[in-house]
Amino acid sequence: MKIHEAIGFIDSGVGGLTVVKEALRQLPNERLIYLGDTARCPYGPRPAEQVIEFTWEMTNFLLEKNIKMLVIACNTATAVALEEIKAKLDIPVVGVIMPGTRAALKATKNSHIGIIGTVGTIKSRAYEEALLSKAPKTFVSSLACPKFVPIVESNEFHSSVAKKVVSETLNPLQLKNLDTLVLGCTHYPLLRPLIQNVMGDQVKLIDSGAETVSEVSMLLDYFDIANTPQHQNEPNEFYTTGSAKMFHSIANDWLDIEVLNVEQVRLSTKTCGGR
Amino acid sequence: MKIHEAIGFIDSGVGGLTVVKEALRQLPNERLIYLGDTARCPYGPRPAEQVIEFTWEMTNFLLEKNIKMLVIACNTATAVALEEIKAKLDIPVVGVIMPGTRAALKATKNSHIGIIGTVGTIKSRAYEEALLSKAPKTFVSSLACPKFVPIVESNEFHSSVAKKVVSETLNPLQLKNLDTLVLGCTHYPLLRPLIQNVMGDQVKLIDSGAETVSEVSMLLDYFDIANTPQHQNEPNEFYTTGSAKMFHSIANDWLDIEVLNVEQVRLSTKTCGGR
């Protein structure tokens, strides 16, 4: 039966684990399967066509595991590939951009909203268009932060280098009078304390990934495919195209639970680009 | 184009206006059409088959107005008719019970949740089953409050009689150690100050209708049928099977906006039962 199948999560690397963390909290009855394409991370600087191709490869990998719902837990992939994948799949497909947009509009009081994300996400203008289509009088300030994902993926997000990079990168946003800042990349919640410190307490940070889990929860009910606790679940599964060891270490640091079953997989015969 | 069409709301009377009030706040770009079956209110004490029949009559009335989404803004009707109507319609159909359930589980800390609703809603055990299917260890205390809807429909919800009735009715819940109470009827938010006063500030009240609007917002995005502010909307429309004057008076009191276009309509050739 479909309701007992897993929810699939894909990301360019470990960032989507911030969404998984929230899913484990909000959806304790569900089984999760995660795939991070760490070997080809970051997706941010890549051309849209390539991101779409990689996202399909990840999607197909999870479809073979009979997932009942797909969460594109990566802003860059959501921005360029969500529409196409949602149209072609016969299971619900959820991205991270609309939930982040709704949450930002709900949070702002002065209509000055900042968006930080990868070069790919910012270039796609996906957040900007979504915000303005709902609330045309919003002042949107977008900023690409290409250095953030590599810091997180290399597990350096607690370092003094991270602190310096975050501070310097966010400098252009300081005078924008923002009261709300969307963390438009699922890697960024790992840098949250640093980002909050630079922006100040008056700026509300929106974790698009956490917001997404509320949407997943609603859709499970709407399509009547929520799992029940009576059914003993198989364990969650984690896959990466990169180092299982590094993935495991970051996952355990972040998720604060023991992540078993991290397995390294290959998605295609192509040479992986790396960084 | 579908996105410019209205969202339909149905209720046994004026209770669904508490949902509309929240929709006007959260979804300012949308056009709303509301139908309250005041002449046959309350639905609570009626047999399920009759509630299903009446709900279909309301649904068909709104379908002729080309609504793009239907909100069953009535717990009694949701409990017995949602599944059937959702299965047969080709537009999204949203009820008020699952949003209230999710919000209650999110709010509770001690897993003691109270449900108040009409006789029909409580008898259906819809909330109880939804709560227990998600969190089997929840302690659920359900209480039918058949006197509440008539008080609201007769615009007496500020009276001293209302205060006494609310206090006496809720008495059995006092010793249940609840930290969360679901207002499982869209009429009850009108009695909110009285209910909060009786239950005490330590009990969090869940307004199932307000929670429902978040689901509506999400589904508008999910199905890509959200309206944009660029498109000038026709005005919202309000219909009642009862007195347009009484409806108008309560609507303006509650909604705090000027409700135009209240029109009295007949739904079927049958004699209306009244109370």
Side-chain angles (χ1 to χ4, degrees), chain A residues 43-56 76-77 79-81 84 120 123-124:
Chain A
Y43 278 13
R46 295 181 185 273
E49 297 68 34
Q50 197 177 40
V51 173
I52 294 172
E53 185 190 329
F54 290 179
T55 307
W56 268 115
T76 312
V80 297
E84 178 179 321
K123 214 166 127 189
S124 76

Side-chain angles (χ1 to χ4, degrees), chain A residues 86 102 133-134 221-222 229, chain B residues 86 102 133-134 221-222 229:
Chain A
K86 190 171 161 186
R102 282 192 299 269
S133 82
K134 286 180 178 291
D221 287 338
Y222 184 82
Chain B
K86 190 171 160 186
R102 282 191 301 270
S133 83
K134 286 180 177 293
D221 287 340
Y222 185 81

Side-chain angles (χ1 to χ4, degrees), chain B residues 48-95:
Chain B
E49 298 67 34
Q50 197 178 39
V51 174
I52 294 171
E53 186 192 327
F54 289 179
T55 308
W56 268 115
E57 286 173 14
M58 291 197 287
T59 300
N60 290 332
F61 178 86
L62 289 188
L63 287 177
E64 284 180 16
K65 303 196 171 296
N66 289 324
I67 52 169
K68 65 182 175 184
M69 185 185 286
L70 176 67
V71 181
I72 303 182
C74 170
N75 282 267
T76 312
T78 298
V80 297
L82 171 64
E83 207 172 327
E84 179 181 318
I85 291 178
K86 190 171 160 186
K88 293 201 180 154
L89 261 48
D90 61 358
I91 55 171
V93 181
V94 179

